[in-house]
Amino acid sequence: MKRLSLRLSGAVTAWLLLTSLVSPVAAQSKSVVVQRRDADMTILTNGDVQVIETWQVQFSGGPFTSAFRSIPLNKVTSIDGWRVADETQSYQQVNKGSSKQPYTFEYTIGDGLMKATWFFPSTTDQTRTFKVGYTLHGALRIDPAGDQFYWKFIEADRGYTINTSQVVLHLPAKFDSNQLKFTMYQNGVEQFGARWVDAQTLEFTGGSFAGGVEWEIRAQFPHGVVTASAPAWQANENQTSDPQNSVAVPISPQSQTNNQGIGVIPAVILAVVFLVAVFMIYLAVVQSNATEGDLSDVTDNSNSSGRSTRRQPHRRDDWEDAKQFPRDDGNRWSRDRDWDSSDRSSSSSDHDSGGGGGGSGSSGFG
């Protein structure tokens, strides 16, 4: 009996030791889901873009005491006007590393990024709301065919899911809907979800976005409304993608001398080659006409059965080239519009060179 009592006592002691070791590990388990990450963006007449992001964050486990948001500087002139707030108060800006006290924030610049970090009271198993504001300078693409705001709002570099996102974009003036072009992309593939709200407002809605998924919006409005000029990054990008950046190779004096005269025999050979080439072209034309006749029969049969043989584009590269897209009820989407060919030169480099829009970066919680 005494031995049984000792064994039970030892088992209880071991259990207590085990739970004391496991409990801290369990307490440290934590995860984040952002229920909503929205933005209200306003394009000013001077070309600046004012942004206010709203994050509704569900914290599971904890504790959490900080969050950060970084934005690349490669397609802006600068970013300033940072401000942070939560449900109760505005946060105070402090110098880098000077304080990690709740209700403060700091920003840093490095590796081509501007990063804002804000600190809040220790949070466990709660849902919190944060507002993050900033101003983008030089973020518009300026072109006579139409000025564009092309921005990656949801970045791929993050370890949490965003359930939904809505961006409301206020334009610098009022426009008729047929003067505007607008759409959105998820991982480079064009998506439904952009709509014209009124003469000065567009709306983009998407989600859910798992970690590693990127989401960007794009809007074009008539040139001349904003006073901004093309930023330096745009000029550099256009120069890089310009197919005319080639150098002519001069003809050497030796090659000029060799081409000054042609002998009789080479001339006869050239004449024979020319006649053969003409005969081959004649045969190709005859064969082509016969093929077109066969194809026209196939097309007529297809149309008579009520089916179209034309494929509709769905890729991001069809921003400029697409003329028709599948229609949504109400014909609300920008992709139902015809795209002018006049602005292809101003924007095709976005896709051909892999440039795309500005923004993205990374974000996270700690």
Side-chain angles (χ1 to χ4, degrees):
M1 189 69 180
K2 190 173 182 180
R3 289 182 179 179
L4 178 60
S5 177
L6 290 174
R7 289 178 180 177
L8 289 175
S9 177
V12 170
T13 302
W15 173 256
L16 291 175
L17 288 173
L18 180 62
T19 55
S20 66
L21 293 174
V22 172
S23 295
V25 175
Q28 293 173 3
S29 176
K30 54 186 184 179
S31 62
V32 170
V33 173
V34 174
Q35 299 292 358
R36 300 191 62 89
R37 189 164 131 193
D38 302 332
D40 188 89
M41 301 183 176
T42 302
I43 302 175
L44 304 181
T45 54
N46 67 354
D48 292 347
V49 182
Q50 293 180 340
V51 181
I52 300 177
E53 299 186 12
T54 301
W55 300 35
Q56 187 180 76
V57 186
Q58 179 180 330
F59 295 105
S60 298
F64 294 88
T65 58
S66 66
F68 75 89
R69 167 83 158 108
S70 69
I71 301 175
L73 298 171
N74 61 329
K75 291 193 176 180
V76 296
T77 303
S78 62
I79 307 175
D80 60 20
W82 287 96
R83 51 205 184 278
V84 179
D86 62 17
E87 311 93 331
T88 62
Q89 66 183 77
S90 297
Y91 287 30
Q92 179 182 359
Q93 181 181 335
V94 296
N95 295 328
K96 175 186 175 182
S98 64
S99 172
K100 292 186 178 181
Q101 295 299 314
Y103 307 115
T104 64
F105 77 94
E106 63 183 32
Y107 69 83
T108 57
I109 299 177
D111 298 326
L113 298 167
M114 176 164 276
K115 178 181 178 182
T117 305
W118 60 98
F119 306 94
F120 47 86
S122 181
T123 300
T124 302
D125 293 326
Q126 295 182 41
T127 297
R128 301 289 309 275
T129 299
F130 303 100
K131 288 186 178 292
V132 182
Y134 49 89
T135 299
L136 305 172
H137 302 280
L140 297 184
R141 182 182 297 274
I142 307 298
D143 192 274
D147 298 339
Q148 289 189 31
F149 180 59
Y150 190 5
W151 193 256
K152 298 179 179 73
F153 177 59
I154 299 297
E155 67 284 350
D157 187 7
R158 55 188 161 78
Y160 60 91
T161 296
I162 300 174
N163 284 339
T164 187
S165 180
Q166 183 179 84
V167 174
V168 177
L169 180 64
H170 304 281
L171 302 173
K174 294 182 178 181
F175 304 99
D176 293 335
S177 59
N178 58 10
Q179 293 180 286
L180 304 173
K181 298 177 183 179
F182 48 95
T183 191
M184 61 190 213
Y185 307 99
Q186 181 169 313
N187 283 350
V189 179
E190 196 167 16
Q191 303 287 311
F192 287 112
R195 73 184 187 96
W196 184 85
V197 178
D198 58 40
Q200 203 166 351
T201 309
L202 302 176
E203 185 180 87
F204 306 84
T205 303
S208 145
F209 306 111
V213 176
E214 186 176 73
W215 185 58
E216 55 191 318
I217 66 171
R218 189 175 191 179
Q220 178 175 299
F221 51 89
H223 177 68
V225 176
V226 299
T227 58
S229 56
W233 62 261
Q234 180 184 341
N236 294 336
E237 188 176 85
N238 291 343
Q239 184 176 6
T240 301
S241 61
D242 187 357
Q244 297 181 356
N245 288 337
S246 58
V247 179
V249 179
I251 300 176
S252 66
Q254 180 65 34
S255 62
Q256 290 180 355
T257 302
N258 292 340
N259 291 332
Q260 286 179 352
I262 299 178
V264 175
I265 295 177
V268 173
I269 296 175
L270 287 176
V272 173
V273 172
F274 174 77
L275 291 175
V276 172
V278 169
F279 180 71
M280 296 298 294
I281 292 173
Y282 169 76
L283 291 179
V285 170
V286 172
Q287 185 177 1
S288 175
N289 290 336
T291 304
E292 288 181 359
D294 295 338
L295 289 177
S296 63
D297 294 338
V298 174
T299 304
D300 292 340
N301 293 334
S302 173
N303 292 337
S304 63
S305 63
R307 296 190 300 270
S308 173
T309 59
R310 182 180 179 183
R311 294 178 57 193
Q312 299 298 335
H314 290 82
R315 299 177 295 106
R316 172 176 172 176
D317 293 343
D318 297 316
W319 165 270
E320 309 299 339
D321 298 331
K323 292 301 179 183
Q324 292 181 348
F325 284 81
R327 295 182 181 272
D328 180 73
D329 293 339
N331 192 22
R332 296 174 299 168
W333 308 109
S334 65
R335 290 178 285 180
D336 296 322
R337 308 183 189 284
D338 289 339
W339 297 79
D340 297 333
S341 60
S342 60
D343 63 353
R344 293 181 186 176
S345 61
S346 64
S347 305
S348 60
S349 62
D350 295 348
H351 312 296
D352 299 341
S353 65
S360 194
S362 61
S363 62
F365 301 88

